[in-house]
Amino acid sequence: MMISNGIEDEEKWLAEGIAGIQHNAFYLHRALDANNLREALKFSAQLLSELRTSRLSPHKYYELYMRAFDELRRLEMFFKDEDRHGCSVVDLYELVQHAGNILPRLYLLCTVGSVYIKSKEAPAKDVLKDLVEMCRAVQHPIRGLFLRSYLAQVSRDKLPDIGSEYEGEGDTVMDAVEFVLQNFTEMNKLWVRMQHQGPLREKEKLEKERNELRDLVGKNLHVLSQIEGVDLEIYRDTVLPRVLEQIVNCKDELAQYYLMDCIIQVFPDEYHLQTLEILLGACPQLQPTVDLKTVLSQLMERLSNYASSSPELLPEFLQVEAFSKLSNAIGKVIEAQADMPIVGAITLYVSLLTFTLRVHPDRLDYVDQVLGACVKKLSGKPKLEDSKATKQVVALLSAPLDKYDDIVTALTLSNYPRVMDHLDAGTNKVMAMVIIRSIMKNKTCVSTSDKVEVLFELIKGLIKDLEGISTDELDEEDFNEEQNSVACLMHMLYNDDPEEMLQIICTVWKHIKAGGPKRLPFTVPPLVFSALKLVRRLQGQDGDVAGEEVPATPKKIFQLLNQIIEALSVVPSPELALRLYLQCAEAANDCDLEPVAYEFFTQAFVLYEEEVADSKAQVTAIHLIIGTLQRMNVFGVENRDTLTHKATGYSAKLLKKPDQCRAVYACSHLFWVDDQDGIKDGERVLLCLKRSLRIANAAQQMANVTRGSSGPLTLFVEILNKYLYFFEKGNPQITSSVIQGLIELIKTEMQSDSTTANHASDAFFTSTLRYIQFQKQKGGAMGEKYDPIKL
Amino acid sequence: MEIYEVHDYLRTVCPDLHITRGEYDEDTRYLETKTLTIGQFKLGVCHGHQVIPWGDLESLAMLQRQLDVDILVTGHTHQFTAYKHEAGVVINPGSATGAFSSITYDVNPSFVLMDIDGLRVVVYVYELIDGEVKVDKIDFKKTTTSTNLTH
C-alpha cells in the first residue's frame, strides 16, 4: 500500500527495483557472452519483470525504465547477430512470446520486432501493426505509456517513410502514419486514464505526475512531424483530423491544452495557415477550462512571424482569410468559455491585434474591428477594476501607437476612444501619457483641428478633473510631469495654413480652459507662444482687406490671447500672466498695433499694481516691464509718456533702496534708444541717473545709521558705468567732468571707509577704471572722448 | 517652471550643474548671478533679463566688470552671440530648444561647448540651421597681464 511516508518508501522500492535489474543484468551479460539464447531470454524477462511495479511515481519509474532500456540495447545487438544464437528472426519473434509475463514479453517482442523489420523478412507495416496491436494488452497507464514509448523509440528509424529503405512493396507512408497515430491515440487514452488511478485526495499530486509524462505522448506528434512523407494533403486529410478527434474526445483539460500547444509547436507554419479552419474549429469544442488564450496567442504569434519571414506569403494569408478566421474563432471561444475572466478575452484581442498589425499593417479596418469586438465585450460592464485586465487594455491601445509611430492613425479609429472610456480614471491618464509620449517620440505633427479635437478628447483625463478625482488628491510630482507633457504636446500641434492653425489654437483653448487653477499655469504659456508664433507668421499680411472678412488676423489672435491670459490672471497666477501680457505687447508692437500693445501694457500694469505683492517678485517684474517697454517703438509720444512715467514711478517705489536705485537707472534706457529712429532724450536720461544717485546716497546713509558703516559702494560704481554708457553713446548731458566728479567721489568714499573693504565693489571699481584706461588708449574718436578723464 | 526632467537630463550631460534664474523660473533657489572659477578662468553666469537693454553688449560688459570675470555667459535673447570685449568674452549660447522669443525672430537652436586649457579657451558653437548642424569655433587667449583675479 502506498500511503503515508511515500517518499521514503518510494526510494526503497526504487532501490529494490534497480538491485533486481542489476542482479539479472549480471546473469544476462554472462549469457550474452556465452551466446546462450535460452539463458539470455530467461534473465532478460526476469530483468524486465522489475518494470511491472505499480509502486513508483512516474519520475522514479522512468529511472528504472532507463536502466532496463540500456540492457535491452545490448540484447537487441545480440538478437541482430544470428551467428551468435543460431535462431532466425522469424523464429525469434515466435520464441520471445513464450515469456511468462505480459510486460516482459511485449518489451522482448518490440526488441525483436525492431530486428525483424530491419531484416526485411516481413513488410515493416505488418510488424508495426502487430506490435502496436499487441501492446494493447497492457492497460496500466504508467506501464503502458512506457512500453509504448519504447515501441515508438525502437521503431522511429524503421518507419516506411518516403525515401526510407523500408518504403515500397506495399509499405507506404500511410502505414507509417497509421502506426504512429494509433500509438499516439492509445498513449493518450492511457495518459488521460491515469487521472482516475488512485484516491481523489491525491488528485493534485496525480496531475503533477501526469504532467511529467506529457512528453511521452507528445513525442508521437513530433515523430509525425518528422515523417517526410506527411505532406500538406496527408496532414490536412488524415493527421490533423485524427489527432484533433482524439484531443476533443478525450475531454481532458490537461491533455487538450498540452496537445493543442504541441500541434502548434511541432508542425510547420504553412500547414497551420492552410488548415486554420480545421484547427480553429476544434477550439470551441474543447473543455471550457482549457487555457485557449495561450494556445491561440502562440498560434497567432507563430503565424505573424511566418508572415514577416517573407513578403511573398501575404497573398496566402489573404487567400485563406486568416484574419477573419482567427477573429471568428476568438469570438466563438469567448462565447464558449463563458467563465473566462475579462482579462483572458482582452489578452486574446491583444494577440489578434498584434497579429493584424504585423501581417496586415495597412488594414486599419481590421484594427478597428478588433477594438470594436473588445468594446462589445466590455460594454454593459462597470469600469475595469481588475489591474491585470486594465494592463491588457493599455497593451491593446498601445499596440497601434507602437506600430504606426503615428497617433494620427489611431485618431481615425472610431473604436479607440470607446475602448478608452472603459478604463478607470487612473488608467485613463496612464494611457493618455502613453499617447503623448508616442507623439513626442515620433515627432508626430497633429495638423488639423479635427484631429486635435479627437486627441484632446482622448487625453481628457489629463486636461481636466474627471468625476471622482480632484486635483487635491494627486501626487504633485506625477501631476507636474503630466502637465509638462501636455505642455510639450502643444508644440506638436501645427499647420502651415494660418486659418487651420487658429482653429487648432481655439480647439486647444476650448479644452484646456476647464483645466482649473493648477493646470492653467502649465498649459497656458505654450498655447500663448503657439499663438504668438502664428501672429509672427501673419505679421505684415494684416490690413483689413476692404469688405472682405479675413478670418485669421493678428488682431483676432490678440483678442483671443487677451481672453486666455485673463483666465490665467484670475486663477490667480498674476506673475505669469504679467510676463505673457508683456510678450503679447511686444508682438503687438511688431505688428504695429499701438492700441493693442497699449492694452496689453495696461493689463500688465494693473496686475503689477494689484496682484504682485512680493517685493522680490516686484523687482523681477519691473525689470521685465522696463526691458519690454524699452524695446517698444509703436507708441506715440502720449502713450509712451504715460507708460514710462508709470514704470519710473514703480521703480522708485520698490521696497529696498538698492532695488529702487537699479530700477531707476535701468529706466534711463527708456529715454535713449540706440537706433536710428530711437528716442534720444538726454535730459531725461540724466534725470534718471541723478535720481538713482540720490537713492544710492540715501541707501548709504541708511546703512550708516543702521549698521554703522556706509556699506559697499557697488551702486555708485554701477551708476558710474551707466554714465560711461551714455557718455559713449554721445548723450550731450553726460560730460567728462560729470564722470570725473563721480570717479573722485567713489575714490574718496573708498579711502574714508577703508575699514569695510569690500572685495566685490573694489574689484568692480578697479575693472571699471581699467576699462576707462582701455578706452583712453584705444585712440581714435573714442580715445579722444575719454582723454579729459584723468585717473 | 520646475521641470525635474530637464534638470535630470542636464545632469546626465554634466553632473556639475550651475543654474541661474530665468524670468519664468519660480524656484527661488536659483540665484540671479553666479561666478565660478575653472582653471585660470573666472566665469560669470546670468540669465540676462536683468540687464537692460536686453542683449546689449555694452550693458553686458558692465555686468562682466561687476562680476569681475573673464567670460560672461548670458541668455534671454535666444540668439547665439560671442564678443571679445576689452579683456574678456561675452557669450550667449542661444536657446538649446529654439524656443519662441519676442527678441529674436527665427530662433535657431544652439548651444556651446567651452574647452578651457591653460590660458586658452576654445568655444565650439553648435547651431541647427535648416535641419543641419553647423559647428563654429572661436578662440580666445587670456593675456596674463590682464588677469582679473583679485584673490
Side-chain angles (χ1 to χ4, degrees), chain A residues 477 480-481 484-485 521-522 525 529 532-533 536 539 576 579-580 583 586 590 616 620 623-624 626-628 630-631 662 665-666 669 714 718 721-722 724-725 728-729 759-760 763-764 767-768 770-771 774, chain B residues 1-5 21-26 28 32 49-54 56 58-59 61-68 76 85-87 98-107 146-148 150-151:
Chain A
E477 211 168 298
N480 288 355
E481 194 195 333
N484 279 325
S485 298
F522 287 91
F529 286 119
L532 288 177
K533 277 187 198 166
R536 194 166 277 176
Q539 207 170 299
L576 189 53
R579 283 157 176 72
L580 296 174
Q583 295 273 3
E586 193 162 353
D590 296 346
K616 263 194 182 151
T620 307
H623 276 98
L624 294 174
I626 300 166
T628 307
Q630 190 270 338
R631 299 171 51 79
R662 289 186 174 114
Y665 74 62
H669 289 285
T714 313
E718 285 173 36
N721 272 276
K722 282 290 150 190
L724 291 175
Y725 179 91
E728 286 182 15
K729 296 291 176 198
H759 279 309
F764 187 16
S767 60
T768 305
R770 196 180 54 231
Y771 173 71
F774 177 81
Chain B
M1 302 287 149
E2 292 166 50
I3 302 180
Y4 296 107
E5 222 177 304
R21 199 170 171 196
E23 87 263 39
Y24 282 95
D25 287 322
E26 283 158 10
T28 46
E32 300 282 340
H49 65 272
Q50 307 91 331
V51 181
I52 296 166
W54 290 335
D56 176 69
E58 279 93 356
S59 301
M62 162 180 152
L63 179 62
Q64 186 189 13
R65 292 193 284 275
Q66 183 167 10
L67 298 175
D68 193 29
H76 190 54
H85 190 270
E86 203 198 339
F100 176 87
S101 161
S102 52
I103 303 163
T104 307
Y105 280 39
D106 304 322
V107 178
S146 74
T147 179
N148 302 9
T150 51
H151 300 286

Side-chain angles (χ1 to χ4, degrees), chain B residues 38-142:
Chain B
I38 299 173
Q40 311 254 28
F41 282 87
K42 207 175 157 195
L43 279 87
V45 189
C46 176
H47 178 256
H49 65 272
Q50 307 91 331
V51 181
I52 296 166
W54 290 335
D56 176 69
L57 175 64
E58 279 93 356
S59 301
L60 290 169
M62 162 180 152
L63 179 62
Q64 186 189 13
R65 292 193 284 275
Q66 183 167 10
L67 298 175
D68 193 29
V69 292
D70 303 300
I71 301 168
L72 176 67
V73 181
T74 65
H76 190 54
T77 63
H78 295 199
Q79 183 168 39
F80 165 77
T81 51
Y83 295 106
K84 290 176 195 177
H85 190 270
E86 203 198 339
V89 189
V90 178
I91 294 173
N92 184 335
S95 160
T97 59
F100 176 87
S101 161
S102 52
I103 303 163
T104 307
Y105 280 39
D106 304 322
V107 178
N108 289 321
S110 61
F111 65 93
V112 302
L113 289 181
M114 277 197 274
D115 181 11
I116 295 177
D117 182 17
L119 292 171
R120 186 164 174 251
V121 56
V122 185
V123 180
Y124 296 93
V125 190
Y126 295 80
E127 213 171 343
L128 186 70
I129 300 172
D130 297 329
E132 276 182 48
V133 180
K134 197 189 96 186
V135 187
D136 237 330
K137 199 172 104 172
I138 296 162
D139 240 301
F140 171 64
K141 245 191 199 117
K142 178 173 164 177

